[in-house]
Amino acid sequence: MCTVSWFTTSTGYELFFNRDEQRSRSDALTPQVFQENNVDYIMPIDPFGGGSWISLNNNGISLCLLNYYQGETAPSNALSRGLLIKKLAPCEHIDSIQEVLSNIELSRFAAFTLLIFHASGSVKNERVYGFRWDGRTFESINPSSPMISSSVDADNVIEHRLSVYKELTNSAVNRQTLNQFHQHHHSKLGHRSPCMHRQDAQTVSFTHIIVSNKNNSLHYFPGSPCQIKKHLAYDDPFHFYDNTHSYN
């Protein structure tokens, strides 16, 4: 259960991610820096599975993963999908990610959508790559912002969040409007809102990744995005979040 949006620039991209989880699930560990094969990467850690849902490395590659609830039922001994992010985060370029993926036995994982963001695409649309495993077939997809995942009332959730997105980004798609989108919470339709609240689940964190040719950074807020003070989120985004890490 997640919502991801983004926009590309002449020098990179910005990525926004709401993670929705069951209230009974243990809190994630705040982002940690790792090094493997001379590649530095940062990601928050899910203590349940040991993996993650989002990462950034010092080559400007970001990965994020959404559950694909419309896929086949997961095998009883399925591995945590977050381990895929952990496996792919140290990859230096798109080709190496695809090579690693080709050698993974995907039948051991529940269905998912994987998004890959890269700063060096020669055309803006080439900065974002998408792949989907539906439990039987692994294929490329053409991702478009936003992408939404929900295990409950999925059709209405997607319809509502898309309508909010269109309304808020009608004039422009930029850092301010996407922050507004991810913080948006409807008092009567909380379970359908981008910042989701249900009796059994809620949005538990917000991640904002900025990649450019000058500075790459990951900003992480543990908690519901609707709790972020708006003037801080818009006017001082680099210093508000609890965890910020930059690759210069």
Side-chain angles (χ1 to χ4, degrees):
M1 300 178 288
C2 298
T3 300
V4 57
S5 68
W6 65 87
F7 64 88
T8 59
T9 69
S10 60
T11 58
Y13 59 87
E14 294 199 24
L15 166 62
F16 306 74
F17 196 102
N18 280 10
R19 184 190 186 213
D20 306 337
E21 278 296 347
Q22 295 289 322
R23 293 178 184 269
S24 59
R25 195 180 185 100
S26 299
D27 293 341
L29 305 179
T30 53
Q32 302 174 36
V33 179
F34 303 87
Q35 185 179 70
E36 186 175 338
N37 300 325
N38 294 319
V39 175
D40 293 330
Y41 61 96
I42 183 172
M43 61 184 190
I45 301 295
D46 176 10
F48 179 76
S52 188
W53 60 96
I54 193 166
S55 67
L56 166 68
N57 72 22
N58 59 346
N59 292 311
I61 295 177
S62 295
L63 306 169
C64 62
L65 187 144
L66 299 88
N67 296 345
Y68 184 60
Y69 294 102
Q70 292 74 28
E72 297 290 319
T73 302
S76 58
N77 60 344
L79 298 175
S80 168
R81 286 166 283 203
L83 294 175
L84 292 167
I85 298 293
K86 186 176 182 180
K87 182 75 172 179
L88 299 172
C91 292
E92 295 181 326
H93 44 70
I94 298 297
D95 290 343
S96 60
I97 291 175
Q98 293 177 314
E99 181 179 356
V100 172
L101 281 170
S102 68
N103 291 309
I104 293 176
E105 187 179 344
L106 293 178
S107 61
R108 302 180 68 187
F109 296 91
F112 62 83
T113 300
L114 174 68
L115 300 180
I116 305 168
F117 297 80
H118 200 300
S120 62
S122 58
V123 179
K124 285 187 178 183
N125 288 340
E126 293 180 349
R127 296 194 188 282
V128 187
Y129 299 79
F131 298 94
R132 178 165 291 151
W133 166 248
D134 67 4
R136 290 188 178 182
T137 304
F138 184 69
E139 60 184 359
S140 298
I141 61 171
N142 295 316
S144 60
S145 177
M147 297 195 70
I148 299 159
S149 169
S150 179
S151 62
V152 176
D153 195 23
D155 290 343
N156 288 322
V157 167
I158 292 171
E159 181 182 4
H160 178 73
R161 294 183 192 179
L162 286 176
S163 68
V164 172
Y165 180 86
K166 291 177 181 178
E167 179 181 354
L168 292 175
T169 61
N170 182 53
S171 59
V173 178
N174 54 37
R175 187 180 300 173
Q176 179 172 344
T177 57
L178 292 190
N179 268 323
Q180 287 177 321
F181 172 63
H182 283 264
Q183 293 176 14
H184 187 274
H185 171 70
H186 193 290
S187 59
K188 295 183 179 180
L189 295 173
H191 70 292
R192 296 182 184 176
S193 298
C195 183
M196 184 271 285
H197 296 267
R198 289 200 321 254
Q199 184 174 358
D200 63 328
Q202 64 180 348
T203 302
V204 296
S205 68
F206 169 71
T207 305
H208 179 200
I209 291 175
I210 303 169
V211 169
S212 72
N213 58 7
K214 295 182 179 180
N215 185 61
N216 303 333
S217 57
L218 181 147
H219 311 267
Y220 181 78
F221 177 78
S224 296
C226 62
Q227 297 174 358
I228 298 175
K229 293 181 180 179
K230 293 185 177 180
H231 71 278
L232 286 174
Y234 298 159
D235 298 337
D236 196 13
F238 294 97
H239 299 98
F240 175 66
Y241 304 99
D242 285 1
N243 281 77
T244 298
H245 187 82
S246 298
Y247 294 116
N248 295 314

